[in-house]
Amino acid sequence: QALDMALLALTWHKINKYELNQYHYNAVIDACAKTSMWMQALEILNAMSREHVQLDTITFNAAVHACERSGQREKVSQLLSVMEQSKVESSTITFNAAISTCQKDGNWEKALSIFTVMVQRAVELGTNSFNAAISDCEKGGECEKALEVFSMMGQYEVEVDTITFNSAISACEKGGEWQTALHLFNVMSQKIKSDTITFSAAISACEKGQEWEKACQLFVAMIQHKVELDAIVFSAMVSSCEQSGEWEKALQILGLMSQHKVELDTILYNSAISACEKRAEWEKSLQLLHAMAERKVEWDDYIQRINQLLRESWRVGDGFIFFRCDVTLRIGSQQHYFQRCDQRVRKGA
C-alpha cells in the first residue's frame, strides 16, 4: 500500500506538472526497497537520470537495498560501479550492502577488502559492519585477522553482540586456537547469554585441541543452562571422547542423542566404535555395528569392519589367548551369526 501511494503521488505530481526533485523520487525508491520491488526501483532510478534529477547517496542506497533484498547481486554490483563513476559518496548502508553481496557470492576476500576501505575512508562503522568482517575472516580461516577486527570494536567503541562472539570463537576453532576460544567464551558469558552456536564453536575448538575434559565441562554447562543441543555439538563431543578413548561417555552421548531425537549418522557411530576399539571394548563395538544395521545407517565395508573387530577381539595375556563375541547381525535377507566363545586356548596349542 505504501508503494502504491508513493507511485500515485508521483504520477499526480507529473500530471499536474509540479516540479519533482530527488526527494520525491527517493521516497518512491525507498518504498520499492521495503517491498523488494527491485525492478520498479531501477525504473525510477533510470527515470531520474533521463529527467536530469540529481542522484545522491540516498537514491543509490535505496536502489541497492531493493536489489540486495531480492537477491539481485549482479544489479547491486552494477549500481555500486555506477555510484563510484558518478562520484556519489558511499555510506555505511552502501558498504554493508556490498559486503553482504560478496558474502552471498562466497567472496569473503572481496568482502574483507571492502571493510578495509571503510576503515581507510573513516566511514561510520557499526556492529553489523564488524560482524560481517569477523565472519569473513572466519570463513577464510584468518583467525589472527578476526581477532584483530574484534579488538578494533573496543577502539571504535562499537557494541558487541552474540553474533560478534560466535564468529570470533568460530574463527578460533578453525584456527586451532582453543585457549583463545575459551577465553572469548568466558568473556561473553559475563556480558551476553551464550546460545547453541556459541557452545558448538567452543566445544569444537576443545575437541580439535584434544581437550576432552574441557569439552565435557562445556557440554554439562549447556545442559544445565538448558541450551538447545544440536547434531554439531553431539558430533564434536563424540569425536572428543573418541580421541581420548572415553568409550563409556561416547555411548552415553549416543544415548542422549536418541533422547533428543537427533539423528545418528555414520560418522558418529564410527567415532563411538573407534573409542571402544581404543579401550579394547570389542563387544561394545560389535553392538554398535548391530545398532547401525538395525537403524539402517549406511557405511562402507560392513563385513570387512566386522571381520576386523573379530580379529582384534583376540586377547593375549598370561600365556593364554581369550576370545569372546556375542552378537547377531542382519543385513537384508542374510543373517550372520557370531557364536559366543569363552575358551582358553594355550598359546601355540
Side-chain angles (χ1 to χ4, degrees):
Q1 291 181 351
L3 176 60
D4 291 338
M5 291 293 293
L7 289 170
L8 184 62
L10 193 66
T11 303
W12 185 85
H13 277 76
K14 283 186 176 180
I15 292 173
N16 289 278
K17 297 182 179 179
Y18 281 98
E19 184 180 353
L20 295 169
N21 57 37
Q22 63 195 98
Y23 302 108
H24 298 102
Y25 284 102
N26 287 350
V28 179
I29 295 175
D30 184 59
C32 291
K34 290 177 180 176
T35 53
S36 301
M37 304 292 285
W38 67 273
M39 293 181 69
Q40 289 84 341
L42 294 184
E43 285 175 8
I44 295 168
L45 188 141
N46 291 330
M48 290 177 71
S49 297
R50 289 195 302 270
E51 295 173 19
H52 304 291
V53 179
Q54 185 179 358
L55 305 175
D56 61 8
T57 304
I58 297 173
T59 312
F60 279 103
N61 281 350
V64 166
H65 184 50
C67 294
E68 193 263 329
R69 282 192 61 178
S70 303
Q72 299 296 321
R73 297 194 285 274
E74 289 186 9
K75 295 296 182 183
V76 171
S77 298
Q78 291 172 10
L79 284 169
L80 293 172
S81 297
V82 173
M83 194 174 182
E84 189 173 353
Q85 293 168 8
S86 304
K87 296 182 180 180
V88 177
E89 184 179 357
S90 300
S91 69
T92 304
I93 297 172
T94 318
F95 280 112
N96 284 347
I99 290 173
S100 176
T101 301
C102 293
Q103 288 178 328
K104 289 174 182 176
D105 285 334
N107 194 345
W108 65 269
E109 290 178 323
K110 177 66 175 175
L112 200 54
S113 69
I114 293 172
F115 176 80
T116 303
V117 172
M118 291 179 73
V119 175
Q120 292 171 347
R121 294 186 183 180
V123 177
E124 183 180 355
L125 296 167
T127 303
N128 290 339
S129 302
F130 278 102
N131 285 351
I134 295 171
S135 177
D136 292 328
C137 294
E138 179 257 325
K139 289 181 175 65
E142 297 287 341
C143 178
E144 289 186 10
K145 184 67 177 176
L147 295 175
E148 181 184 333
V149 175
F150 181 83
S151 65
M152 286 174 61
M153 295 184 76
Q155 298 171 17
Y156 283 81
E157 297 182 350
V158 176
E159 184 179 359
V160 295
D161 60 12
T162 304
I163 297 173
T164 313
F165 277 104
N166 286 351
S167 297
I169 293 171
S170 293
C172 292
E173 177 256 319
K174 289 185 177 179
E177 296 289 338
W178 68 269
Q179 290 173 313
T180 308
L182 284 186
H183 171 70
L184 288 172
F185 178 87
N186 292 329
V187 172
M188 180 181 179
S189 300
Q190 297 171 9
K191 299 180 179 180
I192 305 168
K193 186 178 179 180
S194 301
D195 60 11
T196 304
I197 297 173
T198 318
F199 277 100
S200 294
I203 289 173
S204 294
C206 293
E207 178 256 319
K208 288 185 178 178
Q210 298 185 355
E211 294 289 332
W212 76 271
E213 289 184 351
K214 295 188 183 302
C216 285
Q217 290 170 8
L218 288 168
F219 186 70
V220 170
M222 216 175 162
I223 296 172
Q224 290 174 343
H225 289 86
K226 297 181 180 180
V227 179
E228 184 181 357
L229 301 167
D230 64 3
I232 297 173
V233 173
F234 282 117
S235 181
M237 282 304 304
V238 174
S239 178
S240 182
C241 292
E242 180 261 325
Q243 290 174 10
S244 58
E246 295 290 331
W247 65 273
E248 290 179 306
K249 286 187 172 59
L251 295 184
Q252 288 173 7
I253 292 167
L254 290 186
L256 278 173
M257 290 185 71
S258 297
Q259 291 176 22
H260 286 79
K261 297 180 180 180
V262 178
E263 185 178 356
L264 283 76
D265 60 16
T266 307
I267 296 173
L268 283 163
Y269 270 113
N270 282 343
S271 295
I273 290 169
S274 180
C276 293
E277 288 175 354
K278 286 183 177 180
R279 291 292 184 262
E281 293 291 335
W282 313 115
E283 287 187 64
K284 296 294 182 183
S285 298
L286 287 167
Q287 287 170 12
L288 286 170
L289 283 170
H290 190 186
M292 290 180 78
E294 288 183 335
R295 292 173 178 265
K296 297 181 180 179
V297 178
E298 294 182 2
W299 71 76
D300 298 326
D301 302 326
Y302 182 89
I303 299 298
Q304 289 87 336
R305 188 65 186 271
I306 293 173
N307 289 334
Q308 177 191 354
L309 287 171
L310 288 172
R311 285 195 301 271
E312 292 175 347
S313 65
W314 289 69
R315 304 186 183 183
V316 179
D318 297 327
F320 294 96
I321 299 176
F322 300 88
F323 57 97
R324 300 166 56 94
C325 58
D326 183 14
V327 66
T328 301
L329 301 173
R330 180 183 294 277
I331 309 173
S333 61
Q334 196 174 18
Q335 195 165 12
H336 301 264
Y337 293 95
F338 297 93
Q339 296 178 343
R340 182 181 182 86
C341 300
D342 264 327
Q343 300 180 14
R344 292 172 50 165
V345 181
R346 283 197 174 277
K347 194 172 183 180

